[in-house]
Amino acid sequence: MDLINIVKIITAALTIVVSFIVGFHVIRLDPKKLLNRWFTFFFISSSLGFLFYTIYHLILNNSQLVIPLMITAQIFFNCIFFSLMMTVFVLEKYEKVAMSIKYLGTMIVILVIMSVGYIIWIPTLNMTRYAQGIIDTETPLPWFVIIISIRAILLIYVVYKYAIMSRKLEGEIKKRVQWFFIGVIFIIIALLIDLIGGAFSFILIEVIALFAVDVATITILKGFLVK
């Protein structure tokens, strides 16, 4: 196996562990709070996404399994953006309102659109690199641009809302939202880095994006630990 591929696997495995531990800790803090549940869904989606990401990077003897597993990983990654949007609705609206058709229903439709695209524009595997022991999947440019744009728009909306809320709120909740805000900023950084790495097939840059995800996860956890 190529050294770069090994580095990607190790980094992704670290993200799996960090996301799972943080998610478990957040739900234990207060399992009844809807905000904790949505953030736990965020962390678990991240953990499962990188789990499938790691698995398909280990498959070097059956190329037909790589793309289905890659698409599965991307669907879980889409859930990350879905859950982040729901945290905004929960913080900004009453819990019952946030779970209504208007908000939850809209996000479910967006999630379906984000996931179905991978069936319409099916990613491919770079067989030249695969023969060298490197897993390098390539998403068709039209869908790559669309999915990155949707994710970016959702993240920008989340950042904007957190920024507004951090100004209006006071005390403990204000400090929490500020940490959430910083965490989302790191997610945006990771998205931009991954965009560059994916567009130019710079695998080492993709590894840096994974580290940015870990920083974002730990930063958001900090928000829940504020007292």
Side-chain angles (χ1 to χ4, degrees):
M1 182 181 294
D2 183 87
L3 178 60
I4 295 179
N5 209 49
I6 294 175
V7 173
K8 283 179 68 174
I9 292 170
I10 293 174
T11 310
L14 176 63
T15 304
I16 294 169
V17 174
V18 171
S19 297
F20 181 81
I21 292 175
V22 171
F24 180 73
H25 188 68
V26 168
I27 197 65
R28 282 189 61 193
L29 288 172
D30 194 342
K32 294 183 179 180
K33 278 192 175 181
L34 191 58
L35 181 64
N36 291 53
R37 293 179 181 179
W38 278 114
F39 265 115
T40 297
F41 184 52
F42 162 81
F43 294 123
I44 296 303
S45 296
S46 177
S47 183
L48 289 173
F50 283 109
L51 174 61
F52 282 98
Y53 177 92
T54 302
I55 291 173
Y56 79 72
H57 276 84
L58 290 171
I59 300 176
L60 297 174
N61 58 358
N62 192 338
S63 61
Q64 293 182 344
L65 292 177
V66 174
I67 296 304
L69 290 172
M70 179 266 190
I71 292 175
T72 303
Q74 291 300 321
I75 291 174
F76 279 114
F77 290 149
N78 288 340
C79 290
I80 291 175
F81 301 89
F82 168 78
S83 55
L84 275 179
M85 284 291 294
M86 290 306 301
T87 64
V88 171
F89 298 148
V90 171
L91 283 167
E92 195 176 37
K93 313 290 181 181
Y94 289 108
E95 291 188 357
K96 188 175 182 180
V97 174
M99 296 299 288
S100 66
I101 293 296
K102 179 179 179 180
Y103 295 98
L104 179 59
T106 299
M107 288 312 304
I108 290 176
V109 171
I110 293 175
L111 177 62
V112 170
I113 292 173
M114 293 171 70
S115 302
V116 169
Y118 285 101
I119 300 176
I120 299 174
W121 290 285
I122 301 175
T124 57
L125 179 63
N126 187 320
M127 296 306 297
T128 301
R129 287 197 148 192
Y130 188 73
Q132 298 171 351
I134 301 174
I135 305 295
D136 185 15
T137 57
E138 299 173 348
T139 302
L141 186 58
W143 179 239
F144 183 80
V145 172
I146 292 172
I147 191 64
I148 290 296
S149 298
I150 293 175
R151 290 175 177 179
I153 290 170
L154 294 179
L155 280 180
I156 291 171
Y157 181 85
V158 170
V159 168
Y160 171 75
K161 286 296 185 178
Y162 274 141
I164 296 298
M165 286 187 285
S166 66
R167 293 180 180 179
K168 294 182 178 180
L169 300 172
E170 297 181 355
E172 177 185 312
I173 186 65
K174 179 182 179 71
K175 292 180 180 179
R176 286 191 174 188
V177 170
Q178 287 174 336
W179 280 110
F180 297 158
F181 174 79
I182 296 172
V184 175
I185 291 296
F186 274 108
I187 294 175
I188 290 178
I189 292 173
L191 181 66
L192 291 174
I193 295 174
D194 185 64
L195 174 61
I196 295 171
F200 297 99
S201 296
F202 292 158
I203 298 179
L204 286 178
I205 293 181
E206 294 179 34
V207 171
I208 296 174
L210 290 173
F211 279 114
V213 171
D214 292 333
V215 174
T217 300
I218 295 172
T219 303
I220 292 174
L221 172 62
K222 177 66 177 178
F224 281 99
L225 298 179
V226 170
K227 295 183 180 180

